[in-house]
Every structure is written in C-alpha cells, then in structure tokens.
Amino acid sequence: MKVCNHRGAKESGGSCVELGSNSKRLILDLGLPLDADKNDIKYLPEISGLDGKDPSLLGVLISHPHVDHFGLLAHISPDIQVGMGPAARRILKAAAPFMPGKWPAPENGWDYQSEVPFEIGPFTITPYLVDHSAYDAYALLIEADGKRLFYSGDFRAHGRKGKLFEQMIANPPPKINVMLLEGSSLGRIGDDQTFKTEQELEQDLEHAFAATPGLVMVHTSAQNIDRVVSIMRASKRTGRKLVIDLYTAVVLHATGNARIPQSDWRDVVLFVPKYQRKQIARNKWFELLEQHSSERIFERHVKRAPQKYTLLFRPLFQENLDDANCLAGAAFVYSQWSGYWARGDYDQVKAWLKHHQIKKQELHTSGHASPMDLKRFVKALNPGKVVPIHTFQPDHYGKMYSNVEMHEDGDWWIA
Ligand SMILES: [Zn+2]
C-alpha cells in the first residue's frame, strides 16, 4: 500500500492522507489548515480526481467532524463518495446553513459502524469509535496489499467515552504494520503528565457556577458535545437552566441521541440572538424555530433572574446581553482551546468583557490524548512503525518510541 501525507506531518490541522493500491486511491480526511483565515479552495491539496473526473479516486473517508479534518470537502465534486459516522454526517448537514461562507454537507457515501469492516475496491476499512471532543469520531484501520495501516484520527482517553480507549488497549486490533499517530498534545504538557478528565472539569464548572451571583456565560463549541453535557450537569446541580441558541439546538438534535441535552428538556431553554432572528426570517426557518421553542426566553427573562441561567455563550449574544442589561455579577468561562484566544480570534469579546469589567476564567480540558496516554496506546497496539501526523512536534516522537519513521508532506512511501 502506498501512502502520502499531503499535509499534517508538521502541523496540528489540515489533515490529509492519500492511500494507493492496485491503481486505486482513497483519501483519509480533507481538513482545513489551522491557520487558514477562511475556507478557501487555495488550500486544497493537489490530488487527482477531486473534481470527480478520475475514477481511480474511490472516495474520501473523514475521521470526525472537525474543520481541520473535513473543511476542504466544500471544494470537491459532490459526485465523490464520502465516508463518515452517521451522526457526524447529520451534524454537518444541520450546522452548514448557520455558518457564514461555504461549508460542506456531504450526502453520499459510507456510514461507519464501529468495528464493522467494509470494502472499497482493494481496501478493507474498519472504523473504531473513539473518545474525542468531536462527536461520532473514529480511528480507521485500512487493509490493502497484505498490510494493515492504523490511522488514529484525533482521540483521547480522558473524556466521557474514555472507556473506548481502555477497551481498545485491552483488546487491540492485531498486527498493525503502520500507525499514523496524532500528537497534538506533544510539547503542550510534559511527557509524564495527563489532562484533567471531563468529569473533573465538570466539578470545576460546578464550583465556578455556584460562586457566581449573576449570569454564567460559558464560551465553548456547541459541537463539543461532551462539554455541553458537563455544562448541563453542572448547571442542574447549581439550580440553573441551560440557555442555548437555535444553532446549538439543531446540532444537539442532530446527534440523534436522547441522552444528550435537547431543547425540549425541562432544564434547557432557547434564546435566539438578534442575528439569528434575522437569519430565521430570511431563510423562513419558522418550523425549525417552532420545533425547538418548547421553552423560549427573551431578554426580559434573563434580566429578571440572571442567576437562574447558564448561557452557552457565542459572540452573537453580546448585543442581546447589552440590551438586557443583565450582566451585574456575571461570570465568563472560556472553555475551549486557549490558542483561539491567544491568536486574537476573540479580541472583540475580550474588549466587550473589559467594558463590562468581567474577568475571564479558563476551565477546559483537551480533546487530545496526553503524551502518557499516547504512550499507553502505542505500547498496546504495538505497530511495526509509528509515523507522526497532526502534530507541531514530529521530532518529539523519537523521544517516546523506538520505531518512528518520519515522512515529509507530499512524499510517497510504502506501508
Ligand atoms: Zn484535528
């Protein structure tokens, strides 16, 4: 089996691997680079057949619905088959109309079922559901030409589905020749350190909520479903209702999982930001709005009793919160990757908080396995070689494993 990392050998994002066997090809992930300012076709790797005109390209397999893994699907032919988890496909479809610019919602292709192999031409693919901050995320085992390649995707051991990690290392897929292993956490924390678990984070959130006399705003991604669950649970235990916007309601519904917080739960309420009200009117999403309005609140409700709510904050809400004049005693919890904040994505939120004299608290845990968990994983799966991918620290792998093989972006090699 031939392999080419198009991007990701030296960056944590823009993942794209091409595999070749018997003159047929498959692509694993087609992600937007982390530093891309917008989803532009200029980032698309030069791969034959992305226009749908080269039948040797059999399809694209997406590991999980994060933009650094699927974003560039927006620029390929709709005739190309795209594999992914069925809930991930529903989430992309539900989210796309809310996003500015061009976002993909692939309709056709293979729906993964964990540990159920399927064939695409000369390739046999076995998806494995993994614990990650994206919902419905998979690692992929690809067999061809008598070789077994394991693509880790992005994963962790300390989330709400951490038992998937423990199950896999207790009963690993055998005889892996090559492992393409993500290393997002390398260099972020020490090799003998771990991240706090999602359950520990939930307790931190609970303490922060309990100590807040006014409105709690938690800035996170609505698609980080584990986090939404943590926020929901911490809110319930501190007598608060979870406030979501229509986009979040639609994403939660798309999981198809009744155990995930939903807009019709007793402790969940809908609050539609002004920008979204216009979006709803423009697109005539009245039925959608109706579907998620079993309890809808407005500015006056938040103003009357801000301490009764935890808002799943999005910058869109600032105008409504200003109008409601409801920020006395409020707290702002930043609960996503600190890099977005540091590089200036939310400078406008920063200025707004300063204006209201609200301090930012940071309560977060990573979506990626710690170096220690990565070591446990490699030890258990015992691959013939480990190839760095999705990392800013490829050179670090050599300090952790004895069988590292480095490949530059764009080089073809044999698995
Ligand atoms: Zn990623």
Side-chain angles (χ1 to χ4, degrees):
M1 180 164 28
K2 292 196 304 176
V3 187
C4 176
N5 270 353
H6 285 280
R7 204 183 277 128
K10 289 197 180 84
E11 67 178 285
S12 193
S15 291
C16 180
V17 179
E18 187 177 358
L19 303 177
S21 168
N22 281 305
S23 309
K24 298 289 184 196
R25 295 171 300 124
L26 263 187
I27 296 171
L28 309 180
D29 283 337
L30 200 51
L32 195 63
L34 209 55
D35 58 357
D37 51 348
K38 64 177 191 322
N39 194 348
D40 196 295
I41 195 167
K42 73 178 179 200
Y43 296 113
L44 200 63
E46 271 187 47
I47 298 175
S48 173
L50 291 177
D51 56 2
K53 291 178 184 155
D54 180 347
S56 74
L57 180 63
L58 302 179
V60 181
L61 301 178
I62 300 297
S63 59
H64 63 279
H66 269 165
V67 81
D68 62 325
H69 294 259
F70 77 85
L72 294 171
L73 286 177
H75 309 293
I76 71 169
S77 162
D79 297 335
I80 297 173
Q81 304 279 302
V82 177
M84 61 174 69
R89 196 184 298 277
R90 289 195 301 270
I91 288 171
L92 291 194
K93 191 174 176 185
F98 285 86
M99 316 287 253
K102 200 173 175 204
W103 291 98
E107 299 270 353
N108 307 314
W110 308 270
D111 275 345
Y112 304 155
Q113 262 184 283
S114 191
E115 295 180 53
V116 178
F118 61 96
E119 287 178 14
I120 306 175
F123 304 96
T124 302
I125 293 93
T126 311
Y128 291 88
L129 188 66
V130 295
D131 182 31
H132 183 43
S133 49
Y135 195 70
D136 207 19
Y138 294 83
L140 299 167
L141 171 65
I142 319 283
E143 297 167 82
D145 304 339
K147 289 290 167 73
R148 289 159 63 81
L149 175 142
F150 188 91
Y151 176 62
S152 74
D154 291 358
F155 71 109
R156 62 177 172 178
H158 57 275
R160 295 197 171 273
K161 297 176 298 304
K163 73 168 191 288
L164 292 170
F165 177 97
E166 303 301 337
Q167 280 164 4
M168 186 177 278
I169 65 170
N171 190 13
K175 297 192 179 112
I176 305 294
N177 301 101
V178 179
M179 180 188 281
L180 303 181
L181 179 67
E182 75 122 320
S184 311
S185 70
L186 304 184
R188 286 190 191 168
I189 58 170
D191 287 359
D192 52 355
Q193 284 181 293
T194 54
F195 294 111
K196 86 173 77 149
T197 66
E198 194 66 37
Q199 282 80 2
E200 287 165 337
L201 180 79
E202 181 186 317
Q203 293 195 335
D204 293 351
L205 290 167
E206 186 184 337
H207 293 144
F209 296 1
T212 302
L215 178 70
V216 170
M217 301 173 273
V218 187
H219 193 182
T220 190
S221 160
Q223 294 196 30
N224 185 343
I225 305 292
D226 270 20
R227 188 61 40 84
V228 174
V229 171
S230 302
I231 296 165
M232 173 85 239
R233 291 165 62 100
S235 295
K236 249 181 127 164
R237 286 205 298 272
T238 51
R240 293 171 182 271
K241 289 191 178 193
L242 182 69
V243 184
I244 59 175
D245 70 331
L246 187 61
Y247 162 76
T248 303
V250 162
V251 166
L252 295 174
H253 181 72
T255 61
N257 183 343
R259 284 167 303 145
I260 302 295
Q262 300 292 336
S263 61
D264 61 357
W265 282 22
R266 214 181 48 213
D267 297 309
V268 179
V269 297
L270 184 77
F271 184 32
V272 185
K274 282 189 177 173
Y275 173 84
Q276 230 167 46
R277 289 175 202 168
K278 287 182 208 144
Q279 219 176 10
I280 291 163
R282 199 169 52 240
N283 297 296
K284 302 193 169 59
W285 291 340
F286 304 120
E287 253 176 62
L288 193 68
L289 176 64
E290 182 64 32
Q291 186 193 336
H292 293 289
S293 293
S294 55
E295 198 186 341
R296 185 173 170 191
I297 62 163
F298 294 86
E299 283 79 354
R300 63 178 185 279
H301 299 97
V302 188
K303 184 180 174 146
R304 208 176 295 146
Q307 76 284 2
K308 289 210 170 128
Y309 298 109
T310 304
L311 174 69
L312 217 59
F313 178 86
R314 304 181 65 210
L316 293 181
F317 276 117
Q318 285 165 67
E319 202 185 338
N320 301 72
L321 296 170
D322 283 338
D323 290 353
N325 188 20
C326 62
L327 293 174
F332 181 88
V333 177
Y334 185 77
S335 191
Q336 54 191 335
W337 183 48
S338 58
Y340 299 129
W341 192 274
R343 74 185 186 189
D345 290 15
Y346 299 120
D347 278 358
Q348 194 262 336
V349 175
K350 207 187 277 184
W352 181 76
L353 290 174
K354 195 172 170 207
H355 170 75
H356 287 286
Q357 297 181 311
I358 298 170
K359 273 206 305 211
K360 179 189 76 153
Q361 304 177 51
E362 199 157 332
L363 295 174
H364 179 55
T365 192
S366 177
H368 300 275
S370 66
M372 236 172 87
D373 288 332
L374 289 172
K375 271 193 214 164
R376 289 169 65 210
F377 193 72
V378 169
K379 191 171 178 221
L381 272 71
N382 192 24
K385 52 193 176 192
V386 176
V387 177
I389 190 168
H390 200 282
T391 183
F392 287 109
Q393 307 278 337
D395 297 332
H396 201 96
Y397 283 60
K399 293 181 199 156
M400 296 172 68
Y401 318 111
S402 57
N403 51 348
V404 176
E405 201 173 277
M406 307 275 273
H407 293 286
E408 295 287 327
D409 282 345
D411 283 354
W412 279 99
W413 47 279
I414 305 291

